[in-house]
Amino acid sequence: KQEVTQIPAALSVPEGENLVLNCSFTDSAIYNLQWFRQDPGKGLTSLLLIQSSQREQTSGRLNASLDKSSGRSTLYIAASQPGDSATYLCAVRPLPVNDYKLSFGAGTTVTVRA
Amino acid sequence: IAGITQAPTSQILAAGRRMTLRCTQDMRHNAMYWYRQDLGLGLRLIHYSNTAGTTGKGEVPDGYSVSRANTDDFPLTLASAVPSQTSVYFCASSDRWGSDTQYFGPGTRLTVL
């Protein structure tokens, strides 16, 4: 059974600092990995998706890396802003490709202090 | 409306009562999902439907049932609620089964006493 872990559970940084969020998974047989953002009282919004064949994916200030063999992904957020305050979750999609049941981490709650 | 709506926003329920959480999407998506989110555990899939008329069990289906009579609606029913079903419930949809882009509703916060 796939286990997805996100450490730390919470993080507080001053505005302008770079954020580094970690995600680890136990089974390297994954199809892809996705990072989501969740604002308080809201649903999830997808930020980045990395296919298993990719090493990284970038969107604006966000960069996600994937090391499938070691079971790790990292989400980097450059020059953090108070608007980046949210909970960030990672989710892995397993193989085979027709098994579309995501395994989610518990998330890292980020607070960016102005 | 646009996207996914869920109702109610929150509910306090006595143990043993029956409860239906409603989910409606207007994107004509084929696939729909119900998740629960508990502190420290992340989201877990309860049930899913890959097209109208078909449903399937997820990771934690016990105590829950679903139906998919049409494309737009995917209600989740707790036949006899128990305190361990206290959670935040999210409905999601995707244009097809297997699509990596899921759209999430705002959630229903359910407390069973």
Side-chain angles (χ1 to χ4, degrees):
Chain A
K1 179 180 181 292
Q2 179 75 268
E3 301 286 342
V4 181
T5 304
Q6 293 185 248
I7 295 173
L11 189 59
S12 179
V13 300
E15 183 176 4
E17 190 166 302
N18 296 333
L19 284 163
V20 180
L21 306 179
N22 299 304
C23 172
S24 62
F25 47 95
T26 55
D27 186 349
S28 62
I30 66 169
Y31 183 63
N32 60 40
L33 183 146
Q34 196 163 177
W35 282 93
F36 292 87
R37 171 182 171 135
Q38 184 178 25
D39 292 296
K42 301 287 180 64
L44 279 66
T45 301
S46 180
L47 296 173
L48 288 169
L49 182 144
I50 314 177
Q51 300 295 346
S52 62
S53 58
Q54 296 178 306
R55 297 284 291 180
E56 65 178 299
Q57 191 68 256
T58 298
S59 176
R61 293 185 295 113
L62 276 60
N63 175 275
S65 66
L66 175 64
D67 185 341
K68 196 175 64 168
S69 61
S70 66
R72 290 185 298 189
S73 177
T74 303
L75 178 66
Y76 301 90
I77 303 177
S80 61
Q81 304 168 358
D84 295 327
S85 297
T87 297
Y88 293 84
L89 296 93
C90 64
V92 298
R93 178 176 172 179
L95 287 170
V97 67
N98 61 350
D99 184 356
Y100 184 46
K101 295 175 187 172
L102 302 179
S103 295
F104 284 85
T108 295
T109 298
V110 171
T111 302
V112 180
R113 308 185 304 271
Chain B
I1 59 171
I4 298 182
T5 57
Q6 292 184 238
T9 302
S10 65
Q11 182 75 44
I12 298 174
L13 190 66
R17 298 295 297 268
R18 180 184 180 90
M19 177 73 191
T20 295
L21 307 185
R22 299 185 298 278
C23 174
T24 299
Q25 53 100 359
D26 65 355
M27 297 174 282
R28 306 302 292 171
H29 283 173
N30 285 312
M32 297 187 75
Y33 316 84
W34 273 106
Y35 294 92
R36 59 178 289 173
Q37 184 177 33
D38 301 291
L39 194 63
L41 290 179
L43 275 75
R44 292 179 291 169
L45 183 67
I46 306 171
H47 284 286
Y48 64 91
S49 168
N50 54 16
T51 190
T54 66
T55 62
K57 294 182 179 180
E59 181 184 355
V60 288
D62 294 343
Y64 305 94
S65 64
V66 292
S67 61
R68 187 88 184 278
N70 57 61
T71 297
D72 299 344
D73 301 299
F74 191 42
L76 176 73
T77 297
L78 291 67
S80 180
V82 295
S84 62
Q85 292 177 311
T86 293
S87 188
V88 181
Y89 291 86
F90 288 99
C91 180
S93 72
S94 60
D95 60 348
R96 57 178 174 79
W97 178 252
S99 170
D100 287 310
T101 303
Q102 288 190 30
Y103 297 84
F104 284 80
T108 293
R109 182 174 294 275
L110 181 67
T111 302
V112 183
L113 301 176

